[in-house]
Each structure stands twice: as C-alpha cells, then as structure tokens.
Amino acid sequence: MTAAKSQSRIAIVGAGFSGMAAAIRLLQAGQENIVIYEKADDVGGTWHHNRYPGLCCDTPAKAYVYSFEPTANWSSLYPKRDEIHDYCRFVAEKYGLIPRIRFGQEICRAEYDGSGHWQLETRQGLKDTADVVIMATGVLHHPYYPDITGMDTFAGATVHTACWDDDLDLSGKRVGVIGTGATAVQLVPAIVDQVGTLTVFQRSAQWISPSGNKNTPQERRDMLRRNPELMFDEYHRVMEKIETLVEGLRTMEDQFYRDLRDACQAHLETITDPELRRKMTPGYDPGCKRLIFADKFYPAIQKENADVVIDAIQQIEPAGIRTADGALHELDVLILATGYRMHDYMRPMGITGADGLALDHVWEKGAFAHRGMTVPGFPNMFMLVGPNSPLTNYPVIAVAEIQMEYLMQLIQPVLDGRYASVCATPAATEKFNKDLVEATANTVWTTGCDSYYINDAGIPNVWPWSIDEFKASMQAPELSEYLYERPAGLSAEVTVQKQLQTGTTGLRERG
C-alpha cells in the first residue's frame, strides 16, 4: 500500500514570486501538507526588502504577473515597487498562502538523512522534516558590498540600496552613488533634485534603451477590470514582445536587434555634452549586460548639480572618495548601488546531501544544476530560477511557472509514495552543462563585457538557447536523466510511468 500523497510534506524556502508560484501549483494538485519558510515578515521577496527612491520593475507591468492572475492595478507601463508588493500580498491572500507561511524563519541548515527526508532547521531554532524541499530563494537577496579600502572609515552615512534607510535625509547633501546599473538608473533621477550635489562613480557604462514609460489612465484600468479576457490577451501579447526582445539580444542577428541598437545609440546622443557622452558610451554590444530601459537617467545626469566620475576608486576616506587621479570627492552620504551576489542562490544556508555531500564543496568552482533545478547527490531538493535559468530580460515569474510544471511531473512518483526520492544523474548533468558552455559561446553574453551574468567559473550563468527551446525542454522530464530510488521494502514491480517500461530509466531499488 502506497502512502497517500497528502502525507508528503513539502517545504518551500522563500515567499517571493517563485515560492508562491510553487505553493499555488502544489495546492492546485491537491497537495495540502505544504509549509513556506520566509525570513522576512511579509511576502514579496526582493519587492518586500527593496524600497529605495524611484524603484520600479524594468519588465512591463502587464507581463509582471502570474499568467493565471493578471491585474489592472498598474498605474503605469512599468510597475512601481509598492504596486508590485501589493500584488504579491493580494495573490498570497487570495490563494490561501498566508496561513502556510512561517514568517521570520530563516532556514540555516538542510540535511538529507538518506531515507528520502530532509531535516531542516531555522536560524530561530525551529526544526522540521520534509519529503521534498523547493528552494525558491531567488538571486536578489544578498547585497554585494564592494571591497574598497577604507569603506568603514567614511564619516558620513553609508547605505546600500537593498537596505534602504527610510530616515535618511538627502536634502542639500553632497551625495555619492557607486554604480550605474539598473538600480542607479532608477535612483539618480529620483534624488537629483533633492540633493545638493550628486556624484556618480561609474566602473563601466551601460546601454540604456528608452522605455516609453507612461501613466495608465484610470478609465483604461477600469475598462480592463470589466474585461478580464482582455487582460489575458494583453498578457500574452506583451510576453510575445518580450520573447522577441530576448531572442534578438541573444543572437544579435535580426532586424529587431539592429533597431534596438540604433534606439540605444539615439538615446545616448540625447546627452549634449560630448565629454559626458563619451563617459556614458559602453565598449560592448547592447545585451552583453542586462539591457536597461529608462527615460529619466540621461536628463538627470546632465543637471548642473550632477557629475559622473569614471576614474577608478582608490580608497574611501572619512571625508569622501579618493579616485586614482588623486582627487578627493567630498561627500556627506555614500550610496552603494552595487547590486547583489547573484550566484549565491540559497547560500549561506548549510546544505548537506546524500552521504554527507556539502553543496558548498560541490559548488566551489561555480554554481550549476541540471536544467537549472537539481544537483546530483541532493535527492528531493529542487530550485526554481536556479543556475542557467532564463535570467536576462525574461520575466522571472514566467520562468518559475514553467519550471513548476516540469517539477510537478518529476516529483509525482515521490508524492504518490511509489518512490522515496528522485535526483538528476551525474552523467545527465555533465552533458547538460557541457552543452550549455558550447551554446553560450555563440551568444551576446560572451562579447567582452564584465557582467553579473558571469559565474565564478567565468561562464555566463544564463539560458543560452531560445525561450521556445526552454519551454520545449520543460514540457516533460526525460526520465533517463534522473535516478529514482524505491522506499525500503517496496515491491520491485512498481513502475513510475508507462514510459519506464522501456529504455534506461535510472531507477534504483533501495533496501
């Protein structure tokens, strides 16, 4: 007699978009024994933690939703932080997730006990046992602090944009911003008129495409609420445009990419000062780094109280930043718009797999996973939006939904009690990652920029094929790529699916 699938305990780590997608899909499949561990006191992940001035999403609002839950509650083409967080809360409440979330509980240890179970422990001392663990920690939750000499000697206020201080007063202050990525591009226009002087320290220039952002009239929003089908239609229409964008960036071949490159160049030429325009001109192709969409950054840095410094930072002193040319830039406030440690994933969580295998050891030369979701030696542990998932300008919500459909098929035999565990085989993982490296060589991400896409092994940690190929690869698991283990004492006659009756299945009996 197999165990009832409701007895399978599933622990989800993270209550951001990916974690909520996982929980909703599991509930739809009848899985009730679900717990979500969230280190914060609310849902939303990065949209809960981040609240710096000017924060919004650079994905169009109509596509930054779950495919099954579009909304008309967007006040502009690109969604603002507060509206995104409100949407997360709305979804969590509508789908009954709040009672299943353990807020303020950060998983610090996850250990596989060898019998199909994971022993979990939170930093706050709570312990749990789960049959399946889904890591939905995302990549935007560990702020990156640059290693600059004298950082702790600065006499003024220092703040990272990911840990914004709501009480920070910038009025009339001499403010320095380190970084010109997507965060700085949003922050600078929001504060330039408030500060006394604004000095932006740039390591490398970014390609910025005009966003065409505009407010959505209330009557339009009301009309969409009255016509839900239209909201679904618009979701799919915008997603098609995004897929065209991602494909154009990846291949750099079609007319769409040439038009995009021309638009970026034309936008750059709105900087009237030739010297400033030179500073802001990237030395690589658009798309090598994540393409930024913004209208207000170039006008902001051309204001009289703004300056862009491209000399390398030599050190930080009590009075400000000294650059390699010897100049001291005196500051009252230092803002670090330096992004995140993108390749940490669920670390620094201590994760131990089968036979005492430590994930830190496995990933010491760079994070990897089979199809972005599983690591050999770590049975019944899965990631959403893990290494080599589509992480360019494609919506992370859509990635999580697609991966969950694949994952549901993969773990169903475990949830049914027919098998104790499932894990990717080393051979399949090695082949997948070899194919990734070969495919990446022909993409924009290897054209010469220093990008956060590049992992510790020097390889772009992104999906190198088309979005259509990603969707096709997620239609159904190729079972020969996985090892299923039977519970001790279960008859060897049990099969997973009819497909397992032929070919190499990777199944192994335990006990």
Side-chain angles (χ1 to χ4, degrees):
M1 180 176 179
T2 61
K5 64 180 179 180
S6 61
Q7 294 179 349
S8 296
R9 184 158 179 81
I10 305 169
I12 301 169
V13 182
F17 272 113
S18 297
M20 292 197 297
I24 292 170
R25 183 64 184 88
L26 287 162
L27 288 170
Q28 289 173 341
Q31 296 295 323
E32 294 288 340
N33 195 0
I34 299 171
V35 61
I36 307 172
Y37 288 99
E38 171 53 55
K39 63 183 179 182
D41 60 1
D42 202 353
V43 298
T46 192
W47 298 108
H48 168 70
H49 293 286
N50 280 266
R51 54 184 184 275
Y52 60 82
L55 175 57
C56 67
C57 183
D58 58 2
T59 296
K62 291 174 183 176
Y64 206 70
V65 294
Y66 293 108
S67 63
F68 52 85
E69 194 61 57
T71 180
N73 295 333
W74 305 121
S75 63
S76 54
L77 176 61
Y78 290 88
K80 300 173 182 177
R81 179 267 175 190
D82 289 350
E83 293 174 349
I84 298 172
H85 190 252
D86 287 345
Y87 176 76
C88 290
R89 186 76 190 190
F90 161 75
V91 170
E93 292 175 349
K94 177 176 179 178
Y95 289 88
L97 304 185
I98 299 297
R100 302 176 185 277
I101 303 175
R102 303 294 179 263
F103 290 112
Q105 295 287 340
E106 180 181 2
I107 298 290
C108 63
R109 182 183 70 88
E111 184 174 338
Y112 186 69
D113 65 9
S115 62
H117 303 103
W118 281 89
Q119 304 302 322
L120 308 176
E121 183 176 354
T122 70
R123 200 169 300 281
Q124 294 71 27
L126 185 64
K127 296 183 179 181
D128 197 357
T129 299
D131 301 292
V132 173
V133 176
I134 299 176
M135 298 292 183
T137 54
V139 295
L140 302 179
H141 62 114
H142 295 305
Y144 172 74
Y145 288 86
D147 184 15
I148 302 174
T149 300
M151 177 73 76
D152 58 351
T153 69
F154 180 58
T158 301
V159 62
H160 194 290
T161 53
C163 310
W164 192 257
D165 181 359
D166 292 329
D167 296 326
L168 182 64
D169 183 11
L170 301 178
S171 301
K173 301 291 180 61
R174 299 168 298 178
V175 177
V177 175
I178 297 180
T180 51
T183 298
V185 165
Q186 295 179 356
L187 173 72
V188 166
I191 66 173
V192 66
D193 292 331
Q194 178 185 0
V195 305
T197 61
L198 182 62
T199 306
V200 179
F201 297 88
Q202 174 180 271
R203 185 178 62 176
S204 61
Q206 306 278 342
W207 282 111
I208 301 175
S209 175
S211 69
N213 194 19
K214 57 185 178 181
N215 292 333
T216 303
Q218 186 62 51
E219 54 268 27
R220 172 67 177 175
R221 296 156 70 183
D222 292 340
M223 186 272 289
L224 288 171
R225 290 190 186 95
R226 294 192 299 268
N227 297 272
E229 289 302 316
L230 183 57
M231 286 196 293
F232 282 101
D233 290 344
E234 293 202 347
Y235 168 82
H236 292 293
R237 176 178 58 81
V238 175
M239 286 296 292
E240 288 178 0
K241 288 186 175 181
I242 292 174
E243 290 179 16
T244 300
L245 165 67
V246 173
E247 183 64 6
L249 291 174
R250 183 181 71 90
T251 61
M252 303 182 291
E253 291 178 351
D254 58 17
Q255 185 62 44
F256 180 89
Y257 181 77
R258 291 188 288 273
D259 291 344
L260 180 66
R261 183 176 53 202
D262 291 344
C264 290
Q265 184 64 43
H267 190 42
L268 178 65
E269 290 173 2
T270 62
I271 301 176
T272 57
D273 178 7
E275 176 59 20
L276 179 58
R277 187 166 62 248
R278 181 189 68 80
K279 291 180 179 180
M280 305 308 297
T281 300
Y284 54 87
D285 292 317
C288 186
K289 294 187 177 185
R290 182 183 173 94
L291 187 63
I292 298 173
F293 293 87
D295 296 327
K296 299 179 180 179
F297 181 66
Y298 287 160
I301 61 172
Q302 295 182 76
K303 295 196 172 186
E304 290 186 1
N305 67 330
D307 187 24
V308 176
V309 174
I310 62 173
D311 293 289
I313 296 175
Q314 185 178 70
Q315 63 186 36
I316 295 177
E317 303 177 5
I321 292 180
R322 191 173 297 278
T323 47
D325 61 351
L328 175 63
H329 305 269
E330 296 185 345
L331 303 171
D332 302 308
V333 179
L334 177 58
I335 300 176
L336 306 178
T338 49
Y340 295 86
R341 302 198 309 269
M342 299 285 291
H343 307 293
D344 283 6
Y345 297 98
M346 50 275 199
R347 295 174 291 180
M349 187 190 308
I351 302 176
T352 306
D355 301 321
L357 185 64
L359 185 65
D360 281 343
H361 175 70
V362 174
W363 278 2
E364 64 182 353
K365 294 183 179 180
F368 65 90
H370 184 56
R371 303 199 176 277
M373 300 178 70
T374 65
V375 180
F378 295 83
N380 290 0
M381 187 189 80
F382 310 94
M383 289 172 283
L384 293 181
V385 198
N388 294 108
S389 298
L391 281 175
T392 51
N393 288 85
Y394 194 67
V396 66
I397 309 172
V399 174
E401 284 192 47
I402 293 168
Q403 289 179 332
M404 267 308 296
E405 291 302 319
Y406 180 94
L407 180 56
M408 289 302 300
Q409 299 175 66
L410 186 64
I411 66 174
Q412 194 60 56
V414 175
L415 300 182
D416 287 344
R418 289 175 283 167
Y419 288 85
S421 67
V422 57
C423 188
T425 68
T429 306
E430 182 179 358
K431 181 182 185 306
F432 176 72
N433 284 278
K434 180 181 178 181
D435 291 345
L436 279 170
V437 172
E438 293 176 354
T440 302
N442 300 316
T443 63
V444 69
W445 307 301
T446 58
T447 56
C449 67
D450 181 13
S451 166
Y452 67 65
Y453 293 146
I454 307 299
N455 66 13
D456 296 338
I459 300 169
N461 205 352
V462 295
W463 179 262
W465 300 289
S466 70
I467 296 299
D468 283 343
E469 287 173 292
F470 171 66
K471 291 178 180 178
S473 74
M474 292 285 106
Q475 285 296 307
E478 175 57 54
L479 295 174
S480 63
E481 298 176 358
Y482 296 94
L483 175 69
Y484 283 84
E485 295 186 338
R486 291 190 177 91
L490 192 63
S491 170
E493 296 178 0
V494 178
T495 57
V496 179
Q497 296 177 9
K498 290 182 179 179
Q499 296 98 306
L500 299 182
Q501 295 174 1
T502 59
T504 302
T505 64
L507 295 181
R508 183 175 74 196
E509 185 175 0
R510 286 184 64 90

